[in-house]
Amino acid sequence: MSDSKNEISDLCISCGMCCDGTLFDKAFVRDEADRKIADDLGMETFESNGKLSFRQPCHLFSSCCTVYSVARPHTCSAFFCPPVKRFRSGEQTFPDTEQQIETLRQHRDKLLKIASQFPELRDLNIRELTNKLNEYGEDTEKISKYRMLFLILFIFKDIQTKYFKPAPKDTLII
């Protein structure tokens, strides 16, 4: 494997934001063979908009993929986030790619750390937390109570939009 492939592989394994619910709430399953693999791994598959999917965060992700070396759905090995795609196409350097990924991870971690100070938010994953905060919408009492979370969420979403918004043709389906 070339150095850049090793770098990308190491970066992807250490990141996991495509698996932990940071970037997606579901991942698509390509065909019935893929569905069997997902089912065998205990992934919850379901149909959405005529496409078969499994839920994110993936229960097999625990700081890294726990089934990385075994057969897993195609999308798990074929997906690359927009920063990695830009590096692979030569549009940006590897350090820029690393920095974009690390910046989003740091803000995700800040959100979770601050949320852990509130008993009612303590055990939520990033997907559940962002959904909960979005539900609060214009509730001034909740906005006041969770003001720091809303501020970090705003920055998090800005970073996500700037660096991780997929091109219109990109989705987590391969």
Side-chain angles (χ1 to χ4, degrees):
M1 208 180 319
S2 71
D3 285 344
S4 67
K5 284 186 181 180
N6 283 332
E7 288 176 321
I8 292 299
S9 181
D10 291 346
L11 181 61
C12 289
I13 291 168
S14 70
C15 172
M17 289 190 293
C18 58
C19 303
D20 73 1
T22 300
L23 299 179
F24 304 102
D25 61 353
K26 65 182 175 238
F28 296 104
V29 176
R30 158 170 91 163
D31 55 26
E32 282 304 314
D34 238 14
R35 179 185 201 155
K36 177 160 179 19
I37 292 170
D39 290 343
D40 288 348
L41 290 171
M43 297 171 158
E44 180 185 343
T45 57
F46 63 97
E47 196 164 318
S48 173
N49 298 326
K51 295 186 189 273
L52 193 59
S53 304
F54 60 90
R55 298 202 188 285
Q56 299 288 26
C58 179
H59 76 282
L60 298 167
F61 184 82
S62 180
S63 298
C64 67
C65 179
T66 60
V67 293
Y68 191 79
S69 60
V70 301
R72 55 195 203 275
H74 178 75
T75 196
C76 296
S77 59
F79 175 76
F80 293 100
C81 68
V84 170
K85 284 183 179 182
R86 286 190 297 275
F87 168 70
R88 291 180 67 189
S89 71
E91 295 174 51
Q92 69 183 26
T93 67
F94 187 74
D96 289 340
T97 301
E98 283 181 306
Q99 182 58 46
Q100 291 164 8
I101 290 168
E102 186 56 29
T103 299
L104 188 63
R105 287 175 64 193
Q106 287 174 354
H107 282 81
R108 178 206 56 205
D109 293 348
K110 281 182 194 176
L111 271 168
L112 293 170
K113 183 176 182 179
I114 294 167
S116 73
Q117 298 171 18
F118 299 95
E120 66 276 19
L121 303 176
R122 181 172 296 137
D123 296 323
L124 301 180
N125 63 47
I126 190 64
R127 176 68 49 196
E128 294 165 335
L129 178 61
T130 56
N131 288 343
K132 179 68 75 183
L133 292 173
N134 288 332
E135 284 174 23
Y136 293 154
E138 297 182 28
D139 182 331
T140 54
E141 186 178 310
K142 299 283 189 191
I143 290 171
S144 179
K145 180 177 181 179
Y146 303 120
R147 64 185 168 276
M148 184 58 75
L149 280 171
F150 279 102
L151 176 62
I152 302 297
L153 180 61
F154 177 81
I155 296 167
F156 175 83
K157 285 182 175 183
D158 185 57
I159 294 164
Q160 195 171 27
T161 298
K162 183 175 182 178
Y163 298 124
F164 289 84
K165 183 175 171 127
K169 64 179 175 44
D170 283 351
T171 59
L172 194 55
I173 184 170
I174 306 297

